[in-house]
């Protein structure tokens, strides 16, 4: 069994996000009994719509039946755990959601999701995360056992579990998953990176071999929608935090001075 420090080293040295996630989730199941591990990264947390629409995720361990129910009923839109994880700063026990449900203190839309979770998850915890200005959440779920036993165990091991979850987030590069899950194209990214270099529309059109000036804005609009941003400057700043500007041909000194200063100071 890994010691926590050795596990942190292994997570750091793992070559990909999938590998880091697998190391973390395997340890967390073997050591603490969490068979379900959800790791969700938010590209926009400024509104409830942004939280529920602009995120990418890694999910494992819970029954396929639950995942099918979750997707079919669009539970992400009213997922209280995800919502609270995006906004809170301290871990939230699953039992607190169940207590609100039992006391009938939840709106119907949130209650239907919490009730659905309870059919598959006996206990767990939602851990808010933040690194480099990027918010995320790790949800850890136990499908059997007593709530009281889980909550006492988590309180006892809280520091270690939080430290490992935070380390996972600090070491993770989500850029490839963002591109895939958000459906971004190579041309979207090329236009974004040329914009980040400070090129004008005519120069970008020359680089991508297009003539219509609307082409550039169409590509930037697609990225703004994926990242939940309002303008090009904000889009470039957020893309930089998420690693979307990284490629061999793009270095800090190639970015326009004003844009580089804005990124560096964020």
């Amino acid at each position: 069994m890994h010691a926590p420090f050795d596990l942190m080293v292994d997570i750091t040295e793992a070559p990909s996000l999938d590998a880091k996630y697998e190391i973390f989730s395997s340890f967390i199941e073997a050591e603490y009994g969490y068979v379900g591990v959800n790791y969700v990264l938010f590209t926009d947390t400024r509104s409830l719509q942004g939280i529920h629409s602009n995120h990418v995720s890694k999910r494992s361990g819970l029954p396929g039946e639950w995942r099918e129910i979750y997707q079919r009923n669009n539970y992400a839109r009213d997922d209280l755990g995800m919502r609270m994880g995006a906004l809170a700063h301290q871990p939230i026990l699953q039992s607190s959601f169940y207590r609100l449900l039992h006391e009938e203190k939840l709106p119907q839309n949130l209650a239907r999701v919490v009730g659905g979770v309870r059919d598959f998850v006996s206990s767990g915890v939602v851990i808010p995360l933040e690194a480099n200005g990027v918010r995320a959440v790790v949800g850890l779920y136990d499908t059997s056992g007593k709530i009281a036993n889980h909550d006492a165990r988590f309180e006892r091991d809280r520091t270690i579990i939080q430290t490992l979850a935070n380390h996972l987030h600090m070491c993770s590069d989500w850029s490839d998953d963002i591109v895939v899950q958000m459906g971004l194209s190579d041309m979207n990214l090329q236009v974004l990176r040329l914009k980040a270099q400070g090129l004008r529309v005519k120069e970008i059109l020359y680089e991508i071999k297009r003539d219509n000036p609307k082409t550039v804005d169409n590509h930037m609009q697609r990225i703004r929608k994926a990242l939940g941003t309002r303008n090009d400057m904000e889009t470039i700043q957020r893309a930089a935090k998420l690693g979307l500007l990284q490629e061999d041909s793009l270095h800090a000194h190639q970015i326009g001075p004003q844009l580089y200063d804005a990124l560096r100071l964020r």
Side-chain angles (χ1 to χ4, degrees):
M1 180 62 62
H2 280 78
F5 179 77
D6 294 333
L7 186 80
M8 292 171 69
V9 172
D10 288 348
I11 290 174
T12 302
E13 295 178 348
S16 67
L17 172 59
D18 283 342
K20 296 175 192 294
Y21 173 77
E22 177 61 30
I23 291 170
F24 173 81
S25 57
S26 295
F27 175 85
I28 219 75
E29 178 180 357
E31 188 70 10
Y32 300 108
Y34 292 116
V35 298
V37 179
N38 292 352
Y39 180 17
V40 181
L41 179 135
F42 303 101
T43 62
D44 180 17
T45 58
R46 293 172 304 180
S47 67
L48 293 180
Q49 181 177 350
I51 290 169
H52 297 303
S53 300
N54 297 87
H55 66 268
V56 290
S57 63
K58 297 284 185 187
R59 303 177 187 271
S60 65
L62 294 181
E65 180 185 358
W66 164 242
R67 298 181 69 179
E68 193 276 329
I69 291 172
Y70 190 93
Q71 294 172 358
R72 185 180 70 236
N73 292 287
N74 194 21
Y75 278 172
R77 183 184 59 195
D78 298 312
D79 190 327
L80 182 59
M82 188 161 65
R83 181 180 301 186
M84 294 300 296
L87 300 174
H89 297 281
Q90 297 296 327
I92 310 156
L93 293 169
Q94 192 70 27
S95 58
S96 66
F97 300 140
Y98 294 160
R99 184 167 57 253
L100 291 172
L101 181 67
H102 177 72
E103 296 172 353
E104 298 183 347
K105 292 182 178 180
L106 293 176
Q108 185 176 359
N109 61 319
L110 301 181
R112 73 184 184 110
V113 181
V114 174
V117 173
R118 191 175 57 180
D119 292 338
F120 293 89
V121 173
S122 63
S123 57
V125 62
V126 174
I127 303 176
L129 307 169
E130 184 169 356
N132 191 32
V134 178
R135 298 275 300 188
V137 62
V138 162
L140 305 176
Y141 304 108
D142 187 351
T143 58
S144 62
K146 295 182 178 180
I147 287 179
N149 291 344
H150 165 270
D151 291 358
R153 185 183 70 224
F154 176 76
E155 193 58 38
R156 182 193 67 205
D157 297 321
R158 171 175 176 162
T159 300
I160 294 175
I161 295 172
Q162 278 190 266
T163 298
L164 293 175
N166 276 294
H167 187 71
L168 171 69
H169 186 44
M170 289 177 62
C171 293
S172 293
D173 176 1
W174 279 85
S175 55
D176 288 344
D177 288 76
I178 290 171
V179 170
V180 173
Q181 293 189 40
M182 292 294 188
L184 298 176
S185 68
D186 290 343
M187 184 65 77
N188 293 154
L189 296 174
Q190 184 180 0
V191 170
L192 170 67
R193 290 163 180 162
L194 291 170
K195 268 281 187 181
Q197 293 180 52
L199 271 65
R200 295 174 296 179
V201 171
K202 288 184 178 180
E203 294 170 321
I204 294 175
L205 290 173
Y206 175 81
E207 292 290 334
I208 65 175
K209 298 179 175 58
R210 297 291 189 276
D211 299 318
N212 189 345
K214 292 184 179 179
T215 300
V216 174
D217 188 58
N218 288 340
H219 285 290
M220 291 302 296
Q221 186 176 11
R222 176 69 190 88
I223 297 170
R224 288 196 297 270
K225 182 178 179 181
L227 302 187
T229 51
R230 294 167 292 193
N231 54 56
D232 288 350
M233 177 66 78
E234 190 177 273
T235 301
I236 292 168
Q237 290 171 346
R238 188 164 299 169
K241 290 180 180 180
L242 295 170
L244 295 176
L245 300 185
Q246 297 175 5
E247 63 174 10
D248 292 342
S249 62
L250 181 64
H251 303 284
H253 68 271
Q254 293 177 299
I255 301 176
Q258 292 181 337
L259 292 178
Y260 179 63
D261 287 343
L263 297 176
R264 181 172 54 83
L265 294 173
R266 298 296 287 182

